[in-house]
């Protein structure tokens, strides 16, 4: 039996979640990211699991048979950094990171201390191009 994906949409209030973030800078950055990502995607924010704020939704299915739903883009205001889920992580898309600013990377996750460390116009381009890629590859909920 396939393991159930823990990262799925919930009914938790995004505003309540952000207001519970202790660090004032991260809380303010979170509200700014919500407005920017809402503007870029045209989608309302939704909590995904206990700590990810996501926008839109797509359904993925890997060759391994693992499948599930994920937000088109999103972020999580974690204690050490804000995790941005806006990038495919694919080597062929690394050019999109040029000019982004001060960040570190996980596999496909971009970590920033504060949003003033990055160029939000570059982030917008990454979100738009990543969304287009996801629409070509997966089933996207419109």
């Amino acid at each position: 039996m396939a393991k159930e994906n823990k990262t799925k949409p919930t009914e938790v209030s995004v505003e309540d979640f952000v207001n519970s973030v202790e660090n004032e800078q991260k809380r303010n950055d979170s509200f700014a990211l919500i407005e920017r990502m809402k503007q870029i995607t045209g989608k309302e924010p939704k909590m995904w699991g206990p700590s990810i704020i996501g926008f839109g939704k797509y359904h993925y299915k890997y060759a391994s048979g693992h499948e599930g739903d994920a937000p088109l883009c999103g972020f999580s205001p974690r204690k050490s950094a804000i995790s941005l889920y806006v990038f495919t992580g694919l080597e062929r898309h690394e050019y999109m990171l040029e000019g982004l600013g001060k960040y570190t990377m996980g596999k496909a996750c971009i970590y920033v201390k504060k949003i003033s460390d990055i160029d939000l116009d570059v982030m917008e381009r990454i979100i738009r191009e990543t969304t287009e890629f996801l629409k070509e590859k997966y089933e996207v909920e419109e």
Side-chain angles (χ1 to χ4, degrees):
M1 186 164 167
K3 194 167 94 172
E4 185 177 347
N5 192 347
K6 288 187 271 185
T7 307
K8 56 187 175 183
T10 71
E11 294 304 316
V12 173
S13 162
V14 170
E15 187 173 348
D16 288 350
F17 170 72
V18 174
N19 282 325
S20 76
V21 172
E22 289 182 27
N23 181 293
E24 184 180 5
Q25 177 73 52
K26 283 194 178 66
R27 194 169 48 250
N28 292 337
D29 283 354
S30 293
F31 282 120
L33 282 168
I34 287 169
E35 286 310 308
R36 187 72 180 242
M37 289 183 176
K38 196 162 109 172
Q39 180 184 37
I40 295 166
T41 64
K43 305 288 184 189
E44 290 296 319
K46 189 133 184 81
M47 291 302 301
W48 284 72
S51 62
I52 296 173
I53 299 167
F55 297 81
K57 182 166 97 173
Y58 72 97
H59 186 80
Y60 61 86
K61 186 171 185 176
Y62 300 138
S64 66
H66 178 76
E67 64 181 297
D69 295 321
L72 288 171
C73 72
F75 70 95
S76 182
R78 311 241 185 234
K79 277 200 189 304
S80 60
I82 297 171
S83 301
L84 297 173
Y85 305 104
V86 299
F87 182 64
T88 64
L90 296 174
E91 193 174 306
R92 71 178 194 237
H93 292 147
E94 285 179 2
Y95 72 92
M96 293 191 295
L97 299 170
E98 290 174 20
L100 181 59
K102 189 176 171 184
Y103 67 91
T104 57
M105 289 286 301
K107 184 175 177 183
C109 187
I110 298 169
Y111 303 107
V112 299
K113 295 289 184 193
K114 54 190 183 291
I115 63 170
S116 61
D117 286 343
I118 60 170
D119 184 324
L120 293 176
D121 291 335
V122 173
M123 182 192 75
E124 179 174 339
R125 187 186 79 225
I126 292 169
I127 291 171
R128 290 189 187 285
E129 291 189 35
T130 297
T131 299
E132 286 306 309
F133 170 78
L134 294 173
K135 285 179 178 178
E136 290 170 13
K137 189 166 174 71
Y138 302 108
E139 181 182 322
V140 173
E141 186 178 279
E142 291 298 332

